[in-house]
Amino acid sequence: MSNDFIGLSVPNLKGNELKYVTEAVETEWVSTAGPYVEKFEQAVAEYVHTPMAVSCQNGTSALHISLMLMGVTREDAVIVPTLTFIAAVNPTKYIGAEPIFMDCDDSLCMDPIKLEKFCQTECDFKDGKLIDKKTGRHVKAMVVVHVFGNMADMESIMDIAKKYNIKVVEDATEALGTYYTQGRYKGMYAGTIGDIGAYSFNGNKIITTGGGGMIVSQNEELLKHAKHLTTQAKADVQNFIHDEIGYNYRLTNLAAALGMAQMEVLEDYIQTKAENYNHYKEVIDQIPGLHVQDFREGIRTNHWFYSVVFENDESGRDKLIAALKENNIQSRPIWGLISDQLPYEGARTFELEKAPWYWKRVVNVPCSTNLTSDEVDRVLEVIKKF
Ligand SMILES: *Cc1c(COP(=O)(O)O)cnc(C)c1O
């Protein structure tokens, strides 16, 4: 068996990427003006069924703008998950607002039961505002992450958000292509159900533009405002008149050229991800004490990341990662809890139980869209021997 390196989640650029990027270079449209930016925005908006989409430099900047558009200020609090990538939470701090760390459930996404309990027991709801009794802060928004391409329980979360007048920012950076196939939100894509949503096209995401992001919403006015803010808030382009503090967050034509080519193959990638997921799952679920984490029922997931869970023995995590590394296979533990990270020392948390449990027990195994069935077998050989 070959011993070639198998990466965890690497770019796959075998379609029209080079052709479109070459065209961008040859026509010298490489910066934020240029036809591919709008084409890419339209392609994403059509794909997820929103009136428009607003490109950004990355998912982090898309989340930053999203929170600002929800009216979050330095006086407010934002409910965020503790088990996720830190870029889901940092934008709250860019604004100067206070994060409140919430637990996950077995979907690895935000636990709606604890979310409601927090609102009921830790807050007062008066004059249409949810006020954290401990800090006096207005809990104005929450960031809901669709972890690893799973869908958070949006029916429950939207009910709670409505009841307590909390804005919902969907961090769908890992979940482009995931949508409901049943229920109240049947046919709706992750990122388009809450008030506003963000995608990422970082190198490890399901499609990549090198670095890039996108803001979507059902609310076209909000998206127009997003575009204004991401393009330096120009009120009068010709005369350099600006009416707000704007940002230089727009995607470049070079990156958008990659994005257009990647959109053409997104559905193929999702299919490959599903096939490899099922291949892993068939074998690993037979091994006592191990399983591959399921995705929610009633959705079409993009299967972005695969999670192997050590059900009992938490010492297995690091040992498996080391064994895979010896075989030239990249894997990783799930993220360290954000509420345990140095910049968030002393942050407000609420009943964190499942997140620390999963943190000790999850290993993410290779899931690139160019991963072959033989390579999955190579990973499985190491796991079986282990
Ligand atoms: C990737 C990611 C982001 C940030 O996206 P970038 O494009 O890397 O800035 C934010 N949140 C989560 C959950 C992510 O996985």
Side-chain angles (χ1 to χ4, degrees):
M1 219 177 237
S2 117
N3 195 39
D4 291 348
F5 177 70
I6 301 177
L8 181 68
S9 180
V10 299
N12 186 357
L13 308 169
K14 295 174 186 66
N16 284 320
E17 288 81 4
L18 192 59
K19 184 177 161 202
Y20 295 166
V21 170
T22 302
E23 188 192 317
V25 171
E26 280 173 355
T27 57
E28 298 182 338
W29 288 105
V30 293
S31 194
T32 53
Y36 277 116
V37 186
E38 274 181 28
K39 273 192 204 167
F40 182 42
E41 288 175 329
Q42 274 167 18
V44 172
E46 264 170 41
Y47 180 80
V48 299
H49 312 141
T50 53
M52 61 187 275
V54 178
S55 69
C56 288
Q57 287 281 323
N58 45 51
T60 310
S61 54
L63 288 163
H64 185 200
I65 295 288
S66 297
L67 280 172
M68 283 192 290
L69 286 170
M70 294 299 103
V72 175
T73 71
R74 54 185 304 120
E75 262 88 69
D76 300 322
V78 179
I79 296 173
V80 296
T82 191
L83 186 71
T84 187
F85 183 51
I86 200 161
V89 180
N90 284 342
T92 292
K93 289 297 249 184
Y94 300 165
I95 293 173
E98 190 212 28
I100 299 168
F101 288 98
M102 195 57 57
D103 204 11
C104 63
D105 61 18
D106 291 314
S107 71
L108 304 182
C109 305
M110 192 179 284
D111 180 349
I113 296 169
K114 282 193 177 145
L115 173 67
E116 172 131 54
K117 189 174 170 196
F118 174 82
C119 297
Q120 258 169 15
T121 61
E122 298 288 314
C123 303
D124 286 325
F125 187 59
K126 48 184 182 198
D127 306 325
K129 286 181 183 174
L130 188 69
I131 307 293
D132 182 353
K133 285 193 272 197
K134 195 167 162 197
T135 63
R137 283 173 181 264
H138 179 184
V139 184
K140 201 176 268 174
M142 63 174 114
V143 177
V144 176
V145 180
H146 300 294
V147 175
F148 296 154
N150 202 3
M151 182 82 83
D153 177 359
M154 291 307 286
E155 292 198 5
S156 304
I157 287 170
M158 292 307 288
D159 286 344
I160 297 162
K162 198 169 174 202
K163 184 169 166 191
Y164 294 104
N165 199 16
I166 312 169
K167 298 284 187 200
V168 177
V169 175
E170 286 183 77
D171 177 335
T173 51
E174 304 176 355
L176 180 63
T178 295
Y179 61 83
Y180 272 107
T181 55
Q182 289 171 23
R184 195 202 301 170
Y185 297 123
K186 184 176 173 180
M188 288 184 80
Y189 282 76
T192 70
I193 298 165
D195 293 283
I196 198 161
Y199 299 117
S200 164
F201 311 113
N202 187 36
N204 66 344
K205 298 303 201 280
I206 190 152
I207 63 167
T208 186
T209 59
M214 196 76 81
I215 302 172
V216 293
S217 171
Q218 302 293 348
N219 181 338
E220 192 170 0
E221 288 311 306
L222 211 55
L223 293 173
K224 284 183 182 157
H225 196 181
K227 186 169 179 194
H228 188 63
L229 287 175
T230 54
T231 52
Q232 305 282 27
K234 294 173 191 134
D236 176 347
V237 177
Q238 179 73 14
N239 295 303
F240 292 95
I241 308 296
H242 305 262
D243 57 2
E244 282 183 273
I245 302 291
Y247 295 79
N248 183 15
Y249 277 177
R250 194 162 173 77
L251 197 66
T252 65
N253 198 56
L254 265 185
L258 277 179
M260 270 314 283
Q262 292 269 282
M263 281 305 286
E264 292 170 359
V265 289
L266 172 55
E267 282 299 316
D268 297 338
Y269 286 181
I270 290 173
Q271 202 182 328
T272 302
K273 290 249 188 202
E275 284 163 11
N276 286 333
Y277 172 85
N278 291 332
H279 187 165
Y280 276 118
K281 194 162 173 65
E282 265 166 36
V283 177
I284 293 173
D285 284 6
Q286 302 302 316
I287 304 173
L290 283 189
H291 72 267
V292 176
Q293 189 76 0
D294 288 317
F295 289 84
R296 185 178 302 287
E297 282 182 21
I299 67 165
R300 194 289 291 263
T301 168
N302 73 358
H303 285 105
W304 180 58
F305 254 47
Y306 314 145
S307 306
V308 176
V309 184
F310 283 84
E311 291 154 10
N312 315 308
D313 177 17
E314 56 184 69
S315 72
R317 182 191 77 175
D318 294 345
K319 286 188 204 154
L320 177 60
I321 291 170
L324 288 166
K325 190 169 177 214
E326 263 174 37
N327 288 276
N328 216 11
I329 296 164
Q330 189 183 21
S331 64
R332 51 162 245 201
I334 203 169
W335 310 279
L337 303 188
I338 301 174
S339 48
D340 288 344
Q341 311 266 353
L342 191 61
Y344 290 98
E345 217 169 50
R348 182 134 165 67
T349 60
F350 184 70
E351 297 188 359
L352 304 182
E353 292 148 335
K354 291 251 162 148
W357 193 93
Y358 279 105
W359 170 65
K360 291 186 196 124
R361 288 171 178 81
V362 170
V363 176
N364 293 122
V365 293
C367 61
S368 307
T369 52
N370 53 22
L371 188 72
T372 63
S373 179
D374 286 349
E375 287 172 326
V376 174
D377 280 330
R378 232 182 87 197
V379 179
L380 286 170
E381 280 312 309
V382 178
I383 296 176
K384 276 193 277 186
K385 260 190 238 152
F386 182 79

